[in-house]
Amino acid sequence: DKNKKEKGLREFSLRVCRQVEAKMVTTYNEVADELVKEFKNDDPTGDEKNIRRRAYDALNVLTAMDIISKDKKDIQWKGFPSLSGDGKGQRSGFSSGGENEKERLKHEIREKQKEVQQKEGQLEDLTVQFLSLLQLLKRNERTSTETSNPHRIYLPFVLVSTDSDNTIECDISDDKQRAKFNFRRPFELHDDRETLNMMSMFRSDPESLKELLPPHLVSFIKQRRPDVVGDEPQGGAGSAYREMKQERE
């Protein structure tokens, strides 16, 4: 009768719901195959097509109730909608999914926090590099006006560091595109970015920072890298920016 059919549908939907909740992400075929196995164990003469059809209907019901979501072939567990005012996050007759949903959200928050930290680190590195390059630009402009400029720095470059008493053999190709080094003792290599950072080329006074960076970025870099703020050398990053701005005007 009608009541028996409704009870059967509820029980079937509960089985489907538990299947999706256990896997979190699954497909219609996976759910249907599991249900066929369950019902075949209970009744080997059961109609497989009918079981699959009922699984499809139950999934549509759960989708309409916003308990699961469908994305092409994927079916994802969302959790039980909370009843108004009870705050339990579950419905009568269903297994509790509140804890699973809570853990999923916590995990998602942790992952987003890691992503934000990585982005902040990248922004810090790019800001310091930007200030260093402006400082280097002005330094090279200043040396280019002199009769000889042996201290002008060109990019890119690699700095080789070793003990003063180390024996070094160096061969440079005719086109100066390749260099071969032989060392008798250990040595270190530093790229241009690392070298400029070790030279504190990024240092700028507070007023220069306000001209070089937007307000929110000034606050960010001062908090992340307090050593950025300081007395810059004559013709440093701030003056380089001001001179370029005057030239454009």
Side-chain angles (χ1 to χ4, degrees):
D1 58 4
K2 183 178 179 180
N3 290 335
K4 186 176 181 180
K5 288 182 179 179
E6 288 180 352
K7 182 179 179 181
L9 179 59
R10 286 196 300 270
E11 292 178 352
F12 196 89
S13 297
L14 178 58
R15 290 197 184 196
V16 173
C17 189
R18 286 173 176 165
Q19 288 285 347
V20 181
E21 181 183 3
K23 295 179 179 294
M24 296 303 291
V25 178
T26 184
T27 64
Y28 161 72
N29 286 333
E30 288 182 353
V31 173
D33 290 343
E34 291 292 335
L35 290 171
V36 169
K37 290 180 182 179
E38 287 184 16
F39 281 96
K40 284 289 187 179
N41 289 334
D42 297 338
D43 182 10
T45 63
D47 186 354
E48 180 175 335
K49 289 184 178 180
N50 183 50
I51 296 173
R52 292 183 177 275
R53 179 184 59 78
R54 293 174 68 188
Y56 182 81
D57 293 340
L59 288 172
N60 285 335
V61 171
L62 296 176
T63 302
M65 296 171 66
D66 202 32
I67 295 175
I68 65 173
S69 64
K70 294 182 180 179
D71 182 13
K72 296 181 180 179
K73 293 184 178 181
D74 289 338
I75 298 172
Q76 182 172 350
W77 175 260
K78 296 181 66 175
F80 296 98
S82 60
L83 295 175
S84 178
D86 68 355
K88 296 180 180 180
Q90 56 184 340
R91 292 182 184 274
S92 176
F94 288 80
S95 63
S96 173
E99 288 302 317
N100 287 338
E101 181 68 5
K102 184 178 180 180
E103 289 302 316
R104 185 186 70 81
L105 290 174
K106 284 183 177 180
H107 175 73
E108 185 175 341
I109 290 173
R110 288 193 296 267
E111 291 300 313
K112 291 298 182 182
Q113 288 174 337
K114 290 180 182 178
E115 185 177 340
V116 169
Q117 291 175 354
Q118 291 175 352
K119 295 295 184 182
E120 287 179 342
Q122 293 173 0
L123 179 59
E124 175 188 333
D125 291 342
L126 289 173
T127 303
V128 170
Q129 186 178 5
F130 171 72
L131 294 173
S132 297
L133 291 175
L134 280 178
Q135 191 83 286
L136 179 63
L137 174 64
K138 183 56 184 177
R139 184 184 188 279
N140 285 345
E141 286 179 348
R142 188 169 64 254
T143 57
S144 65
T145 59
E146 301 173 358
T147 305
S148 60
N149 52 7
H151 301 296
R152 191 171 189 180
I153 300 177
Y154 296 88
L155 296 177
F157 67 84
V158 175
L159 179 67
V160 182
S161 174
T162 187
D163 295 335
S164 59
D165 57 349
N166 194 355
T167 301
I168 305 172
E169 297 177 2
C170 177
D171 292 326
I172 300 178
S173 62
D174 294 337
D175 59 4
K176 297 183 179 181
Q177 297 298 309
R178 295 179 301 277
K180 180 180 179 181
F181 292 91
N182 287 321
F183 296 85
R184 298 294 177 86
R185 298 178 61 182
F187 64 94
E188 294 181 350
L189 296 178
H190 306 278
D191 62 14
D192 46 21
R193 179 181 174 184
E194 182 183 3
T195 303
L196 294 176
N197 190 56
M198 290 189 298
M199 294 170 63
S200 297
M201 193 70 78
F202 49 78
R203 289 178 67 85
S204 302
D205 62 69
E207 291 302 318
S208 295
L209 277 180
K210 293 179 181 179
E211 294 182 341
L212 294 168
L213 305 174
H216 65 278
L217 194 53
V218 171
S219 301
F220 169 81
I221 198 62
K222 287 171 71 174
Q223 181 179 5
R224 299 273 300 196
R225 290 288 299 270
D227 58 325
V228 166
V229 182
D231 294 332
E232 63 179 43
Q234 184 179 3
S239 57
Y241 174 80
R242 287 190 288 271
E243 289 188 14
M244 287 189 296
K245 185 175 180 181
Q246 289 174 359
E247 289 177 359
R248 287 196 299 266
E249 293 174 351

